[in-house]
């Protein structure tokens, strides 16, 4: 009995140490103080990261299209010392440059994006942003091309109701 208890105690200690080590293994890059290649800074006040590569397909948030949807998740870290009345839908656009160098800009599919966020019980862009706010959000665009090359996500954060961007960040997209 004593031997079994001792073995179980040793296993518990080893398991506890292993769990503690694995918890420290992953630190979200958006929360690091050092520059990280996957985190894009907007005047060191607003940061954005796309933690998972985008997908392209015919459906998004249980809706279908004759064109294509490009969908991805983003983390937005808001560190401005003033509150914003949400983010304006014009803060998000997608630029496609084809093989001939012709550019096409697509606006955010606001309705499908908000449906995806509400379905996941995430914040919508209409909710206020305050100092030290970290949000995880779905972003969805309806596009004409299935090409997975030449896409750039353009983040120009502007307060809801304003078309004046605080800054501009371009994030090249690499698809799954």
């Amino acid at each position: 009995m004593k031997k079994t208890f001792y073995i179980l105690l040793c296993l518990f200690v080893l398991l506890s140490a292993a769990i503690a080590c694995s918890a420290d293994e992953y630190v979200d890059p958006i929360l690091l103080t050092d520059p990280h290649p996957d985190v894009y800074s907007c005047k060191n006040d607003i940061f954005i990261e796309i933690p998972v590569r985008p997908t392209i397909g015919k459906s998004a948030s249980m809706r279908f299209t004759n064109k294509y949807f490009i969908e991805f998740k983003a983390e937005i870290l808001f560190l401005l010392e003033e509150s914003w009345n949400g983010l304006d839908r014009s803060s998000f656009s997608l630029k496609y440059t084809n093989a001939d160098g012709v550019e096409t800009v697509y606006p955010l599919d606001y309705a499908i994006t908000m449906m995806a966020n509400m379905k996941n019980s995430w914040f919508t862009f209409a909710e206020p942003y305050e100092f030290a706010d970290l949000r995880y959000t779905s972003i969805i665009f309806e596009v004409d091309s299935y090409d997975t090359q030449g896409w750039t996500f353009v983040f120009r954060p502007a307060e809801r109701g304003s078309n004046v961007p605080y800054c501009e960040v371009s994030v090249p997209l690499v698809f799954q």
Side-chain angles (χ1 to χ4, degrees), residues 59-115:
S59 67
S61 192
M62 301 175 73
R63 297 290 189 253
F64 297 90
T65 182
N66 293 330
K67 298 179 182 184
Y68 302 96
F69 286 121
I70 290 181
E71 178 177 10
F72 55 91
K73 310 292 186 260
E75 277 186 293
I76 299 171
L77 179 61
F78 185 85
L79 295 178
L80 277 175
E81 293 184 17
E82 60 190 53
S83 296
W84 276 17
N85 185 30
L87 279 176
D88 196 77
R89 68 179 69 189
S90 66
S91 298
F92 309 93
S93 62
L94 194 62
K95 182 173 66 172
Y96 172 66
T97 307
N98 69 13
D100 297 328
V102 177
E103 292 183 355
T104 306
V105 176
Y106 296 94
L108 178 73
D109 190 322
Y110 188 72
I112 301 295
T113 296
M114 290 304 97
M115 287 172 50

Side-chain angles (χ1 to χ4, degrees), residues 55 59-63 69-74 108-125 127 136-141:
T55 59
S59 67
S61 192
M62 301 175 73
R63 297 290 189 253
F69 286 121
I70 290 181
E71 178 177 10
F72 55 91
K73 310 292 186 260
L108 178 73
D109 190 322
Y110 188 72
I112 301 295
T113 296
M114 290 304 97
M115 287 172 50
N117 285 316
M118 288 188 295
K119 182 176 85 174
N120 290 310
S121 298
W122 293 340
F123 287 101
T124 65
F125 299 143
E127 296 174 57
Y136 196 68
T137 185
S138 289
I139 299 178
I140 302 170
F141 297 91

Side-chain angles (χ1 to χ4, degrees), residues 10-40:
C10 288
L11 285 173
F12 177 74
V13 169
L14 290 173
L15 182 61
S16 297
I19 289 172
C21 289
S22 67
D24 292 336
E25 191 174 294
Y26 178 77
V27 176
D28 191 342
I30 205 164
L31 299 175
L32 294 175
T33 56
D34 297 332
H36 192 279
D38 295 333
V39 177
Y40 295 83

